[in-house]
């Protein structure tokens, strides 16, 4: 908790409980452990603090599940009382490893299925919780955040539906476009960035990384990632470059205009390590092309940092690029389901977000400011000072 909070102001809004959908139970378990440890530490360092009943627990998880009938229809069930509690529901809409049966045929869970299960658990709470917050690290339909011509506005509709069901807060990470929050202007919407966790993971796995303007440069792979790259460059005091995509707007393939080429704008990268930052790796085709272009410009090492590693086309191409020396390290968070084999790859590093999310939940449960969590500048500077960088 922030040091400026007085003892009499530390009490939470209501008893905390966490409902984790099946697709993120392992991740939620680690968040739960951090929460329990965090609160025990708070209590031990506050001499006059007398916590309310249920404040200090070994676990805040509630028993919940979504079962299905043979037709594929489902229902949500919460087997513990949530009356009067501050309920946080965690869902990973990207976990396609889960399956269900429809008339004897096995189907994999899609984001649509996970979103329906989320609504089922909200419905199962039956209006008894004092407040409901949804933790959805990858924002459902976040890539369909704006309308071009005659298109659906899926993300806005989903947020409005959650708001109408009584959800007070939406907690997400690295939203594709945070302005989608305008769809629910009277509800809480917070998008957090894993900047500090990226840097920490890189420093732990790349011992010879030199963070100065002579040895490191930040690269935005497209116009949409400019904000992330500018923040990285400013906080680290290094140069930034950008690629922009030339597309063939006369053709549509897979729902989008194909990329003809990546054009680079920025200072020379020759002999420097380069850090590519973006919100996600989907198929990885665009990211790998950027890495190739940088190596052709004689960059020393290429590090890729993305919040969500989807790898929808598998890992073969990344393996090939690593073997050829086009990429040195790929860092993603553990906010979404990842291929098990990815975790064994020599070029992969994980940015652990469980402690960070535990702090977010703890702050929101106490209704205190989260501005220090949204801006990791201080923590990054402390990390660099501690490592004498």
């Amino acid at each position: 908790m922030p040091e400026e909070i007085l003892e009499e102001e530390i009490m939470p809004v209501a008893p905390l409980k966490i409902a984790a959908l099946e697709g993120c139970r392992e991740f939620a378990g680690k968040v739960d452990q951090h929460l329990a440890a965090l609160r025990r530490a708070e209590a031990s360092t506050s001499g006059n603090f007398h916590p309310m009943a249920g404040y200090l627990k070994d676990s805040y998880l509630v028993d919940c599940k979504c079962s299905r009938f043979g037709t594929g229809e489902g229902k949500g069930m919460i087997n513990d009382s949530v009356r009067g509690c501050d309920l946080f529901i965690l869902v990973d809409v990207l976990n396609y490893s889960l399956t269900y049966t429809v008339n004897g045929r096995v189907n994999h869970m899609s984001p649509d299925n996970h979103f329906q299960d989320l609504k089922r658990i909200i419905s199962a709470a039956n209006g008894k919780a004092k407040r409901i917050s949804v933790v959805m690290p990858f924002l459902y339909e976040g890539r369909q955040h704006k309308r071009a011509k005659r298109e659906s506005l899926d993300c806005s509709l989903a947020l409005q539906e959650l708001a109408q069901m009584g959800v007070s807060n939406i907690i997400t990470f690295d939203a594709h476009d945070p302005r989608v929050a305008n769809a629910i202007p009277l509800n809480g919407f917070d998008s957090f960035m894993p900047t500090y966790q990226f840097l920490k993971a890189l420093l732990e796995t790349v011992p010879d990384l030199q963070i100065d303007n002579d040895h490191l440069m930040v690269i935005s792979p497209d116009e949409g990632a400019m904000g992330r790259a500018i923040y990285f460059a400013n906080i680290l005091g290094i140069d930034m470059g950008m690629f922009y995509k030339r597309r063939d707007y006369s053709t549509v393939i897979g729902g989008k205009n194909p990329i003809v080429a990546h054009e680079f704008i920025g200072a020379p990268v020759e002999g420097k390590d380069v850090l590519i930052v973006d919100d996600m790796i989907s198929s990885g085709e665009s990211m790998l092309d950027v890495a190739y272009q940088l190596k052709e410009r004689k960059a020393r090492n290429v590090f890729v940092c993305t919040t969500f590693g989807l790898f929808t086309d598998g890992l073969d191409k990344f393996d090939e690029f690593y073997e050829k020396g086009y990429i040195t390290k790929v860092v993603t968070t553990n906010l979404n389901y990842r291929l098990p084999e990815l975790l064994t790859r020599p070029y992969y590093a994980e940015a652990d977000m469980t402690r960070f999310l535990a702090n977010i939940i703890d702050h929101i449960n106490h209704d205190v400011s989260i501005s220090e969590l949204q801006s990791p500048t201080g923590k990054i500077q402390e990390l660099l000072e501690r490592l004498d960088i």
Side-chain angles (χ1 to χ4, degrees):
M1 299 296 296
E3 292 181 358
E4 63 270 18
I5 295 177
L6 302 176
E7 297 292 345
E8 59 267 22
E9 297 176 333
I10 203 170
M11 301 307 291
V13 172
L16 171 64
K17 291 194 177 181
I18 299 173
L21 272 68
E22 187 179 355
C24 60
R25 294 234 168 105
E26 182 180 353
F27 176 80
K30 295 178 181 178
V31 173
D32 182 50
Q33 290 173 5
H34 283 302
L35 261 169
L38 176 66
R39 294 199 162 182
R40 285 195 297 269
E42 289 171 4
S44 65
T45 56
S46 301
N48 299 323
F49 174 48
H50 302 288
M52 63 184 287
Y55 184 81
L56 299 178
K57 300 175 67 175
D58 292 331
S59 176
Y60 300 91
L61 294 171
V62 299
D63 181 18
C64 67
K65 67 177 181 179
C66 291
S67 58
R68 292 184 179 270
F69 303 100
T71 57
E73 298 166 287
K75 66 175 179 179
M77 296 177 287
I78 299 177
N79 299 316
D80 295 324
S81 173
V82 294
R83 184 180 296 273
C85 76
D86 193 10
L87 181 63
F88 288 78
I89 305 176
L90 273 64
V91 58
D92 176 11
V93 299
L94 296 178
N95 193 338
Y96 59 87
S97 69
L98 303 181
T99 59
Y100 64 99
T101 303
V102 180
N103 294 339
R105 295 177 174 84
V106 176
N107 286 355
H108 284 265
M109 292 279 285
S110 72
D112 291 343
N113 296 136
H114 286 293
F115 187 68
Q116 285 299 118
D117 280 355
L118 169 64
K119 292 191 292 182
R120 291 182 176 113
I121 294 300
I122 295 171
S123 175
N126 200 24
K128 298 300 188 292
K130 182 177 179 65
R131 185 173 67 177
I132 295 178
S133 300
V134 168
V135 181
M136 189 187 299
F138 184 90
L139 189 61
Y140 172 71
E141 291 290 357
R143 298 168 80 178
Q144 187 54 25
H145 59 92
K146 62 182 179 180
R147 174 176 284 158
K149 300 182 181 179
R150 291 179 293 276
E151 294 181 346
S152 58
L153 274 171
D154 297 52
C155 190
S156 296
L157 287 173
L159 292 176
Q160 290 177 355
E161 191 170 4
L162 293 178
Q164 290 164 7
M165 293 185 74
V167 173
S168 299
N169 301 303
I170 308 291
I171 302 161
T172 190
F173 289 83
D174 204 350
H176 198 65
D177 189 342
R179 290 174 297 181
V180 75
N182 293 334
I184 49 169
L186 300 181
N187 293 73
F189 182 97
D190 295 298
S191 178
F192 296 89
M193 301 294 293
T195 313
Y196 171 77
Q197 287 76 16
F198 281 158
L199 189 58
K200 185 178 179 183
L202 273 175
L203 290 171
E204 288 176 348
T205 57
V206 185
D208 61 343
L209 184 65
Q210 293 181 267
I211 301 180
D212 59 55
N213 206 34
D214 294 328
H215 298 92
L216 185 64
M217 189 171 175
V218 178
I219 302 295
S220 173
D222 54 35
E223 310 93 300
M226 277 285 290
R228 302 176 188 88
I230 289 172
Y231 179 77
F232 252 112
N234 285 338
I235 197 67
L236 298 179
I238 57 179
D239 287 335
M240 191 206 82
M242 185 197 84
F243 282 88
Y244 70 91
K245 299 171 182 176
R246 281 203 293 118
R247 294 182 180 272
D248 180 4
Y249 287 100
S250 64
T251 306
V252 177
I253 300 176
K256 57 185 179 181
N257 304 109
I259 299 169
V260 177
H262 285 94
E263 304 291 351
F264 181 69
I265 302 173
V269 299
E270 183 175 354
K272 291 186 177 182
D273 293 336
V274 291
L275 175 61
I276 308 174
V277 291
D278 206 356
D279 60 340
M280 72 179 73
I281 293 174
S282 185
S283 66
E285 178 183 349
S286 177
M287 186 68 72
L288 291 174
D289 186 47
V290 168
Y292 174 77
Q293 296 286 345
L294 290 168
K295 290 298 287 188
E296 286 293 291
R297 289 170 169 79
K298 300 182 180 179
R300 180 170 170 260
N301 290 306
V302 176
F303 306 116
V304 176
C305 289
T306 64
T307 307
F308 304 102
L310 313 185
F311 301 99
T312 56
D313 286 353
L315 300 174
D316 291 346
K317 200 69 176 177
F318 282 85
D319 294 342
E320 177 188 340
F321 269 54
Y322 173 71
E323 291 168 2
K324 291 181 177 179
Y326 294 138
I327 57 173
T328 303
K329 188 69 66 177
V330 176
V331 181
T332 76
T333 70
N334 56 347
L335 290 168
N336 65 284
Y337 172 79
R338 294 152 297 161
L339 291 164
E341 50 267 33
L342 173 66
L343 308 183
T344 67
R345 293 300 197 264
Y347 54 81
Y348 179 71
E350 176 186 280
D352 183 16
M353 302 296 291
T354 53
R355 183 178 177 82
F356 185 35
L357 181 54
N359 269 288
I360 293 170
I361 292 174
D362 193 45
H363 276 62
I364 292 176
N365 180 232
H366 287 81
D367 256 358
V368 297
S369 173
I370 58 172
S371 58
E372 64 175 83
L373 300 177
Q374 290 176 318
S375 178
T377 303
K379 290 187 67 177
I380 291 174
Q381 290 173 342
E382 288 176 11
L383 176 65
L384 298 179
E385 289 174 4
R386 189 166 66 246
L387 297 174
D388 195 24
I389 294 177

